Amino acid sequence: MGTPQRIQNVADVVLGDSSERKLIIVSAMSKVTDMMYSLVHKAQSRDDSYTEELDKVFEKHMAAAKDLLDGENLARFLSQLHSDISNLRAMLRAIYIAGHATESFSEFVVGHGELWSSQMLSYAVQKSGASCSWMDTREVLVVKPSGPDMVDPDYVESEKRLEKWFSRQPAEIIVATGFIASTAENIPTTLKRDGSDFSAAIIGSLVRARQVTIWTDVDGVFSADPRKVSEAVILSTLSYQEAWEMVISFGANVLHPRTIIPVMKDNIPIVIRNMFNLSAPGTVICKQPANEDADLDACVKSFATIDKLALVNVEGTGMAGVPGTSSAIFSAVKEVGANVIMISQVVSEHSICFAVPEKEVAAVSAALHVRFREALAAGRLLFRLKSFMIAAFLLLLA
Ligand code: ASP
Ligand code: MG
């Protein structure tokens, strides 16, 4: 959704799709969410250049709308845009005066990119005469905080609200806002950065979609990082678990890691497609991908690495048969807030090995030395750190 031309391309893809009913979840125009976060940041740091930045946000959307729309729909969009911008101006002014933005203030502000992009797309689809409704997902999607920068959907409440929404506005094509939602108390919130894929998966599951397609700018999920492996190819299918490993552990940058959970429980396939290369079939992520390439060459399905890890090896005679050793090791690790990426223990229980990010290994080592001071002094334990290990490997076998 970078330019008016691209929004028009999206409208064409929507109109060209032969599905009986379609629900399209839209992200903000490119860079807009960053601009919205920066507005809040500037206002609360009492940097009055936020006003110029808000003007830029306004101009960007006004120019896009003028390019894309005309007549009554253009007038409607611009009047909504004007009113939103003047509300935001008042809000940012309050943040500027207070020198502080509450979480709900800033969540309200940053979600506007999706409100505008989705309204523009909805009008662009209507231009062709198709019946298309616009959905503000703050009315239907209810989420609750589940950790730092994480939310969990409330499926029961969201489903109720969604049913009510559909009873008022049946339409074959619905264009909805990604990223934004409400709390149970109806306070606007977001699904956090890059959350639009997650929105699509949650709503796909709520409406029991036949398929969720994530439109992006790559042909699909690669078998390896193409910047490192020149022979990398696009995988035609992946199981949910394989996709999970690729995305969560190895940061394959094609979809928001949490996207897989909502659709997995209903076995809804996710298809990754390239908006800029419609001829590419994409990657299908589903329950049991067909084993289409059973020859030996295709035994290894994909390959990924994580850089900058350190291995910590705790070994010694003092560990075997002593209940609580691993708990003591990992509670020391937890105290310094280090994230453990992999764990293994030998059957003889003489050695436990784990991997942490390299930047956390010094703190881990210090914590372990304190925790096991006596055992170390008595020679019952010893630590080995290999901080220069560069990678962990993931091989998915077909
Ligand atoms: N616009 C939001 C963001 O940039 C959500 C998304 O793009 O998925 O984080
Ligand atoms: Mg985005």
Side-chain angles (χ1 to χ4, degrees):
M1 301 282 281
T3 60
Q5 181 54 49
R6 290 200 189 155
I7 298 179
Q8 185 57 52
N9 291 348
V10 176
D12 296 341
V13 168
V14 169
L15 291 162
D17 183 290
S18 59
S19 315
E20 217 173 292
R21 295 174 74 199
K22 292 166 260 198
L23 201 157
I24 300 95
I25 310 279
V26 182
S27 189
M29 288 185 80
S30 43
K31 308 276 184 319
V32 168
T33 311
D34 291 339
M35 289 168 99
M36 303 311 282
Y37 274 102
S38 150
L39 284 173
V40 176
H41 181 75
K42 283 185 169 166
Q44 70 179 356
S45 330
R46 301 219 167 97
D47 169 353
D48 54 19
S49 69
Y50 79 84
T51 56
E52 286 126 56
E53 190 149 359
L54 185 61
D55 293 340
K56 279 195 203 130
V57 168
F58 173 68
E59 278 150 25
K60 181 174 176 124
H61 289 89
M62 182 174 67
K66 283 187 174 164
D67 224 6
L68 194 63
L69 312 173
D70 43 39
E72 231 171 72
N73 285 347
L74 174 62
R76 267 196 215 120
F77 178 81
L78 290 181
S79 120
Q80 182 65 49
L81 181 66
H82 266 290
S83 128
D84 289 342
I85 293 281
S86 76
N87 285 340
L88 288 174
R89 205 177 292 283
M91 225 162 160
L92 289 162
R93 175 81 189 145
I95 293 173
Y96 177 87
I97 293 168
H100 173 73
T102 62
E103 198 189 331
S104 42
F105 262 44
S106 83
E107 294 283 275
F108 176 82
V109 173
V110 300
H112 275 73
E114 272 69 13
L115 290 169
W116 298 321
S117 62
S118 59
Q119 286 177 69
M120 276 194 277
L121 178 64
S122 161
Y123 286 133
V125 171
Q126 280 175 25
K127 218 167 54 175
S128 70
S131 110
C132 174
S133 295
W134 176 67
M135 178 192 279
D136 176 348
T137 47
R138 293 175 304 184
E139 288 172 34
V140 293
L141 193 54
V142 179
V143 297
K144 46 182 181 292
S146 62
D149 267 342
M150 261 203 258
V151 294
D152 276 340
D154 179 339
Y155 285 102
V156 175
E157 183 56 29
S158 302
E159 188 159 1
K160 261 192 233 154
R161 295 191 186 192
L162 205 55
E163 262 169 30
K164 211 159 122 201
W165 190 94
F166 277 111
S167 68
R168 288 195 316 260
Q169 308 201 42
E172 281 153 31
I173 306 178
I174 296 159
V175 176
T177 50
F179 186 50
I180 56 176
S182 282
T183 65
E185 297 77 33
N186 295 316
I187 296 169
T189 187
T190 72
L191 305 190
K192 313 306 168 198
R193 287 314 308 257
D194 299 321
S196 292
D197 292 355
F198 191 28
S199 305
I202 300 167
I203 294 181
S205 148
L206 287 168
V207 301
R208 296 178 180 66
R210 183 175 52 80
Q211 172 180 310
V212 172
T213 309
I214 306 281
W215 289 94
T216 173
D217 56 1
V218 287
D219 283 350
V221 181
F222 277 97
S223 56
D225 184 342
R227 288 164 305 185
K228 293 178 184 158
V229 182
S230 57
E231 298 91 339
V233 292
I234 295 290
L235 297 165
S236 57
T237 54
L238 275 176
S239 70
Y240 292 118
Q241 284 76 10
E242 289 166 339
W244 181 260
E245 285 298 334
M246 292 293 287
V247 174
I248 305 272
S249 319
F250 293 89
N253 203 12
V254 284
L255 78 168
H256 187 284
R258 304 200 75 197
T259 309
I260 297 163
I261 306 169
V263 289
M264 197 168 144
K265 65 179 171 45
D266 301 321
N267 285 333
I268 300 170
I270 306 177
V271 186
I272 313 283
R273 291 285 309 274
N274 189 351
M275 189 50 94
F276 304 104
N277 180 13
L278 298 179
S279 63
T283 299
V284 182
I285 301 169
C286 57
K287 191 178 167 210
Q288 225 147 26
N291 189 0
E292 76 281 15
D293 317 298
D295 61 283
L296 267 183
D297 281 350
C299 249
V300 174
K301 195 161 180 183
S302 79
F303 175 87
T305 61
I306 306 179
D307 292 336
K308 299 204 170 63
L309 290 186
L311 273 188
V312 179
N313 214 30
V314 183
E315 48 187 67
T317 49
M319 294 169 63
V322 182
T325 306
S326 56
S327 154
I329 293 173
F330 292 110
S331 57
V333 174
K334 177 181 170 254
E335 268 158 35
V336 295
N339 187 34
V340 177
I341 282 164
M342 183 217 79
I343 304 173
S344 78
Q345 178 183 272
V346 291
V347 181
S348 69
E349 298 176 58
H350 280 90
S351 150
I352 290 179
C353 177
F354 58 92
V356 290
E358 200 176 30
K359 63 178 181 341
E360 289 168 357
V361 74
V364 167
S365 165
L368 290 172
H369 276 91
V370 172
R371 180 70 183 73
F372 293 99
R373 196 173 328 141
E374 277 174 28
L376 282 166
R380 277 182 280 122
L381 268 192
L382 86 113
F383 298 135
R384 272 184 233 258
L385 306 175
K386 287 187 201 149
S387 357
F388 299 104
M389 181 193 172
I390 47 147
F393 297 104
L394 168 80
L395 281 179
L396 294 176
L397 301 181

